[in-house]
Amino acid sequence: KIQPGSGELPDSSLVPSAVCEYGADSAGLSAEAGDGAQLGRPLGPTPSQSRFQVDLVSEAHKPEKGSEEAKGRFRVNFVDHSAGSSSPEHGEGGGGGGGGVSFQNGDTLLSESSLHSGGTGGGAGHHHYYYDTHTNTYYLRTFGHNTIDAVPRIDYYRQTAADLGEKLLRPSLAELHDEFDKEPFEDGFANGEEGTPTGEVGASDKGVVKFGWIKGVLVRCMLNIWGVMLFIRLSWIVGQAGIGLTIVVISVATVVTTITGLSTSAIATNGFIRGGGAYYLISRSLGPEFGGAIGLIFAFANAVAVAMYVVGFAETVVDLLKDNGALMVDEINDIRIIGAITVVILLGISVAGMEWEAKAQIVLLVVLLLAIGDFVIGTFIPMEDKKPKGFFGYNVDIFTENFGPDFRGETFFTIFAIFFPAATGILAGANISGDLADPQLAIPRGTMLAILITTLVYMGIAVSVGSCVVRDATGNFNNSLSAELTNCTNAACKLNFDFSSCKVPQKCKYGLMEDFQVMSMVSGFAPLITAGIFSATLSSALASLVSAPKVFQALCKDNIYPGLEMFSKGYGKNNEPLRGYLLTFFIALGFILIAELNVIAPIISNFFLASYALINFSVFHASLAKSPGWRPAFKYYNMWISLIGALLCCGVMFVINWWAALLTYVIVIGLFIYVTYKKPDVNWGSSTQALTYLNALQHSIRLTGVEDHVKNFRPQCLVLIGTPNSRPALLNLVHAFTKNVGLMICGHVRMGPRRQAIKELSTDQSRYQRWLIKNKMKAFYTPVHAEDLRDGTQYLMQAAGLGRMRPNTLVIGFKKNWLQSDMKDVENYINILHDAFDFQYGIVVIRLKEGLDISHLQGQEEVSSQEKSPSSKDVVVNVDYSKKVEADASKSYSSCSEKSPVMQKDEEEDGKTPTQPLLKEEPKGPDTPLSIVDQRLLDASRQFQKKQGKSTIDVWWLFDDGGLTLLIPYLLTTKKKWKESKIRVFMGGKINRIDHDRRAMATLLSKFRIDFSDIMVLGDINTKPKKANIIAFEEMIEPFRLHEDDKEQDVADKMKEEEPWRITDNELELFKTKTHRQIRLNELLKEHSSTANLIVMSLPIARKGAVSSALYMAWIEALSKNLPPILLVRGNHQSVLTFYS
């Protein structure tokens, strides 16, 4: 414990492993903590005693020892006493290099004097640097004062896998606020902070390859965007659409990719991102449902894209072989052979590591740029032998002629569909986000620049080729003209060539329309263009071969799809997904061997577009949800532009191929439904959660402005249940009539020592709410701490709920053991009913003859159902200081739980915190036989979980309470488990008017549109009960009577004052008729409703102050004993039913 001024730390169990301690032997870098007079004076190091070593580190991911531009950031580490001393000069030198020691993230503390003078040391030379022992701990000297309070620093906000060091725990509120003799709270991850999956944190970052924005993003994106389309399809597109429409096609494609690039940049700069590219961005923004769906098809699309690009490469090689007469087998099989060999080589490069792959990409980019340069140079060197093939050099006439479209069997949309895949590939850099040194900087900068450069090149080449080459050419020198021919008007004629014979389709082999190899023909050195085609296809294939496993690995790590965890394993210092590489290789190889990619190509394009659409939608959704956590560093985005981008992507999907678009939608929706159904146990703070909250908030506020209407009345129940799993019958029955109809709040009043109870409230809140969700209970768990049950219930009745969603009905279990209980508890119980009426609540008292509370059986029941941990043999009990509403447990049990609150944190089935505290007390195996009483109690507790069959619900609507007594059974019959049950209505009446009363009730029920099977009017309710039952009642209340007639007046008055629950003779005589009615009703209930599945009956009301608690309790006891499950209901006498429309 921390004693003031002692300078000692709390117990070591509260301090993380990297914590530094104050103490006499750590004076090397700290002031004497207890010496208040010396706080301002920095002490010099004592070499032999120093435990710390000051390392200069940069803010980059890889620590650079001795770096001079490290911006004065220090890390203090433990060193062994025997390992020598750490010198402060080491730190000073680095600090000077950075222009002075900066007070950054709390890593370096100056002395008080230097703080006051601005904190800029370094150059001045006269400041003493003060390295405190607080680094890597939260016990630090804040602004020169001895306190464990922490100054803001980055390490408190890290997740557990920080590249620059471990996540540090700031001092908990309890450590700062609690009295010294109190135990602080255990601190875990709060507010859904993400822990890191096992194996993600490497022991050392040494040797890990991280790329900057040029090598990691710009090069990759440019290579992926420039595909084979640039060399063998762009000239044909210019021929069909003309220069003008080609520019439009390129622009529209660029608009889609630019908007997606802006959205990607926004998400990528909204916090630290790990590996997984598009999947990681979408899943962390929209949640696992969308992320899981897109992740799978995106990884698959990349794997098949490898096959597409490799086949494109193989086709080019086979064309060369064919031209030279060197085919191996035949065209199709040659493509398969070359494709298979190529993909094996690419796999080898990928498996060799990201560094080799990056080097290969650089080489390919150089080749690609040379090829583009070769073409540009070629356009300026017109050669006579190329003129018959349609190439004349730059010419205004050719430009004018080629500017407009000349569609031959194509349309604008088909041309766009052919070109658009050439603009994709913008996520190539984002897909390796885990291998980037600074993804937040690299992704926006690299992606946007790549889009700009590639778009300009596409447009430049389109204009260039359209200005040099005519649409049709024969390739024949004999078509040259003598200057005098005048009836020919096209550009070729003006250049003395007559290609008019090409008007016959398929006649000519040259020109923009017919020759796919125009760029080779135009270029200065044709083999370079072939090399460019090779480079474009292989680089795209290589990028896809790397992207697919990385995305798939991230998907498998999150365990969205059970059974795929084996692919999450990484190897080597770079965590390479070798298994993913092999899977991608086999998928690619399979599609290469099929060699029919014309069908698969549009599906792949649509898969990519679906991920683009969702990235755009993610930005719109996050902005719409107004989550405080959405604050991207990249500001050049707009939520509405992102929405337009998402809609554009969806539209382009249909333009490219309508059936492929529909197939993509079906697959995405199918995977979305699957992941939603599986409900992966993850919490990523997605915008879906934020929007759900925002909608709930807005609707709640809107609801408060609407006046209640009787047609919209819903029973909104506050159920006094204790822990939700301790009274399953109560929970299941109330859930049956509130599910999807009204609010249900499980109230739990915690009593006993305040410190213990307050400490457990927050853990209970999340634990039991999760238990309710896991058991598909649509309810809220609300615990409160109070001195006694009545106070706690008053708090709940006044404060539970929100706006219009507030409880209006109190549901409480019958206090079965009231005859043996302390009468103060009985008084409290009855006062709760009075309080509920005071607060205008309706009341439902539920009684099962076996009882409700099964907490003392919970251990055996849970252990026997725990398939995952059969070895667990702990008895689960409620370490709860309250005397429960339904306290079936014996005195010895409750005293045991009060004396030994030893909480064992055991793992529950879902691996989270347990739903019940475990008490290591009297271990019983699952095969311990239960007593007959306990077995009956257990069976009774489960009776409302099963289908009720053709049973009856008997409604004894004796007094009009507004209709709640009738509404609850009606709501029950609308549920699946109670659907076959029939309602029978019982009512009181006069013997001579039974038929009239029955008809009147039947009319009322039909107007209420409530089905009933029978109505019984009882004319003998006021008959005197059997003598034996009266005697039994009197014997029951005998211990609680005052007998004031047998005592002195003052003695009787004093006794009544001290024990107000006692029954006076006067009171007993006054309410004799009412007492007899309860006894008589019990006889009638046994006579008419003993076979009912459920009885719903009007609860008798006792006037406050006139009827003692003991008598009221005795009435309820007499009325409801030895019966099937019974609900004693009393509304608040406001109408809850109406027959008006």
Side-chain angles (χ1 to χ4, degrees), residues 538-796:
L538 292 177
S539 63
S540 297
L542 197 53
S544 296
L545 184 57
V546 169
S547 295
K550 295 275 182 188
V551 172
F552 195 56
Q553 182 185 33
L555 178 71
C556 297
K557 254 183 193 164
D558 289 333
N559 200 16
I560 302 289
Y561 299 101
L564 297 180
E565 298 99 313
M566 60 178 287
F567 292 104
S568 65
K569 184 170 172 57
Y571 295 87
K573 59 194 176 188
N574 256 40
N575 201 27
E576 295 287 353
L578 296 187
R579 295 173 181 180
Y581 281 131
L582 287 173
L583 181 68
T584 306
F585 167 74
F586 285 118
I587 291 171
L589 191 61
F591 281 99
I592 287 166
L593 296 178
I594 293 168
E596 282 294 328
L597 291 174
N598 289 342
V599 179
I600 216 84
I603 299 176
I604 300 310
S605 295
N606 275 326
F607 279 4
F608 284 129
L609 274 166
S611 43
Y612 292 0
L614 276 182
I615 285 175
N616 285 314
F617 183 69
S618 297
V619 171
F620 169 74
H621 200 268
S623 304
L624 186 70
K626 298 186 179 75
S627 169
W630 173 251
R631 40 181 196 279
F634 183 83
K635 300 296 181 191
Y636 305 104
Y637 72 94
N638 179 280
M639 62 184 283
W640 298 109
I641 289 176
S642 293
L643 180 62
I644 290 167
L647 296 173
L648 271 174
C649 290
C650 294
V652 171
M653 286 169 74
F654 279 98
V655 169
I656 288 176
N657 190 305
W658 67 267
W659 62 261
L662 288 176
L663 181 66
T664 306
Y665 284 131
V666 168
I667 292 172
V668 171
I669 291 166
L671 290 171
F672 176 87
I673 291 168
Y674 170 79
V675 178
T676 307
Y677 175 74
K678 294 298 283 184
K679 286 192 180 70
D681 189 17
V682 292
N683 180 10
W684 295 325
S686 66
S687 61
T688 310
Q689 293 173 351
L691 195 62
T692 305
Y693 171 84
L694 192 66
N695 287 337
L697 183 65
Q698 288 172 345
H699 284 104
S700 300
I701 291 168
R702 196 176 304 157
L703 201 59
T704 53
V706 180
E707 285 299 317
D708 284 331
H709 191 281
V710 63
K711 278 200 296 185
N712 291 328
F713 175 86
R714 296 162 184 270
Q716 307 204 102
C717 297
L718 170 61
V719 189
L720 290 186
I721 195 170
T723 54
N725 53 358
S726 60
R727 294 172 180 78
L730 187 60
L731 186 71
N732 291 319
L733 186 55
V734 179
H735 188 252
F737 65 81
T738 57
K739 181 187 177 185
N740 297 332
V741 174
L743 178 72
M744 178 176 172
I745 295 178
C746 296
H748 182 186
V749 181
R750 275 195 165 278
M751 291 172 275
R754 182 177 179 277
R755 186 184 79 197
Q756 178 78 1
I758 294 290
K759 189 174 173 179
E760 288 163 11
L761 278 184
S762 58
T763 53
D764 278 1
Q765 173 71 58
S766 57
R767 179 191 307 166
Y768 289 119
Q769 190 61 58
R770 194 165 56 240
W771 185 91
L772 287 167
I773 292 166
K774 189 181 170 192
N775 288 277
K776 297 185 174 147
M777 292 290 166
K778 297 187 176 180
F780 299 94
Y781 172 73
T782 308
V784 292
H785 175 260
E787 292 304 313
D788 60 40
L789 187 64
R790 183 186 180 187
D791 282 353
T793 308
Q794 283 182 345
Y795 302 157
L796 285 167

Side-chain angles (χ1 to χ4, degrees), residues 12 132 149 488 550 559 604 919 1064:
S12 60
D132 203 351
D149 213 348
C488 181
K550 295 275 182 188
N559 200 16
I604 300 310
L919 189 72
T1064 62

